[in-house]
Amino acid sequence: MTTVRREAFGRMPPEEGGGEVEKFVLQSDSVRVEILSYGCIITTLETQDRDGHFSDVVLGFDTLEGYTRKHPFFGAVVGRVANRIAQGRFSLDGKEYQLFINNGPNSLHGGAKGFDKVLWSSQVLPNGVRFFRLSPDGEEGYPGDLKVWVTYTLSGRELAINYQAQTSKTTPISLTNHSYFNLAGQGSRDVYDHEISIEADSYLPVDDTKIPTGEVAAVQGTAFDLRRPVELGKHLQKFHLDGFDHNFCLHQGQDRRLVARVFHPPTGRTMEVHTTQPGVQFYTGNNLDGSLKGKGAATYPKHSALCLETQNWPDAVNKPHFPNVLLHPGEEYNHTTWLVFSTA
């Protein structure tokens, strides 16, 4: 049985239109999640440890101001295209499109004002909440009026995030949620004692601006072979890695499949990620530097959280051999990711 509650969370600044931001609280016996109508942001996700104690396992802020200021996409839905597009450029039907450059020479997570920085309309469901927005033709340089629905539903230990979209013109689209997880509890120093596995036989090597080179490389015999669980801190040391920020190539198909598992031995908390998406970006919070004041005055240093962003492959719009990232008029974009929490 899931209960759903809505409450006021704050108001947008006048220069942003001043609209009211609501918070939706979804609660089951074993999981409690809070989600904002601004950016569809997951602000809180509380799960039990093996002794039944609840802790909040996602990074974020106590107030709306934290989210309206610059931050690394904590908990937000990002789009129209998650991840990086090389030089913010792509061609469609002979026309060249230029996007806003906001990550070195590239466009990242939708540009200057992506889906994470706007107010969505909301509808309460029996076991969740559905958000909607229309991304107008030309927004951030993307073609077509794009109708987008993001639906969060909580069922027992499982949080489902469904993304649907329809467009008036052919457009690239790849949506994800950018939550930062620390199963020891947000505000814990690092995720080195977390064990992670990712069900991927290949990954995408990147250049020094984090754009895939185009090669689809086997994980076998490399630091990227996470098919068996590894303890993150020891693994980074063993391979002299600064961290991960890479796309892992998942088995293709529209069916739900288990793609990643995170286990925290000290608390017993486990999170499984299931998805219909073709890729997952594994990111270990390499750019966190302790400068942001988070919930409960916590600071978030480097490697204090990890992200598993289910999505299409980065820069797919410029790489024809990557999975199709284009949505055409008359088609529907429809993907779901499930986060399943348990204890061991």
Side-chain angles (χ1 to χ4, degrees), residues 239-284:
F239 288 97
H240 308 291
L241 289 177
D242 185 52
F244 287 94
D245 192 1
H246 295 79
N247 178 83
F248 285 75
C249 308
L250 306 175
H251 301 294
Q252 301 296 297
Q254 276 295 302
D255 296 333
R256 170 177 176 161
R257 56 215 183 278
L258 172 65
V259 298
R261 190 169 181 272
V262 186
F263 172 52
H264 184 242
T267 60
R269 284 194 185 92
T270 303
M271 179 177 78
E272 287 180 356
V273 182
H274 302 243
T275 194
T276 60
Q277 295 270 26
V280 60
Q281 186 84 5
F282 177 37
Y283 173 55
T284 48

Side-chain angles (χ1 to χ4, degrees), residues 136-176:
D137 186 17
E139 182 175 64
E140 288 297 323
Y142 287 98
D145 285 330
L146 187 76
K147 292 177 178 172
V148 191
W149 296 264
V150 177
T151 307
Y152 291 91
T153 48
L154 180 62
S155 173
R157 301 178 294 114
E158 180 175 281
L159 178 67
I161 313 172
N162 174 257
Y163 309 90
Q164 289 167 279
Q166 297 163 354
T167 186
S168 64
K169 293 181 187 170
T170 300
T171 184
I173 177 173
S174 175
L175 303 177
T176 194

Side-chain angles (χ1 to χ4, degrees), residues 66-117:
Y67 292 105
T68 54
R69 289 198 292 261
K70 186 171 166 56
H71 68 94
F73 305 96
F74 285 151
V77 164
V78 293
R80 187 173 293 196
V81 174
N83 217 309
R84 294 167 181 87
I85 293 178
Q87 294 169 349
R89 279 209 296 268
F90 62 90
S91 292
L92 265 182
D93 304 326
K95 183 176 175 190
E96 177 127 324
Y97 292 88
Q98 179 64 56
L99 311 171
F100 187 80
I101 303 300
N102 63 338
N103 184 253
N106 307 314
S107 183
L108 175 71
H109 291 331
K113 191 175 179 183
F115 290 2
D116 58 299
K117 297 180 183 71

Side-chain angles (χ1 to χ4, degrees), residues 177-238:
N177 176 281
H178 207 310
S179 285
Y180 286 68
F181 296 97
N182 186 321
L183 298 187
Q186 75 89 29
S188 300
R189 196 178 65 249
D190 57 56
V191 287
Y192 296 148
D193 59 355
H194 287 47
E195 293 176 5
I196 180 139
S197 57
I198 298 178
E199 302 276 332
D201 297 327
S202 52
Y203 78 102
L204 299 180
V206 293
D207 67 18
D208 56 7
T209 74
K210 301 279 195 295
I211 292 288
T213 60
E215 180 192 0
V216 180
V219 300
Q220 182 77 38
T222 74
F224 299 88
D225 192 346
L226 303 177
R227 292 173 294 186
R228 292 221 169 100
V230 302
E231 189 179 317
L232 197 50
K234 286 180 181 163
H235 189 78
L236 295 178
Q237 270 184 323
K238 176 182 172 184

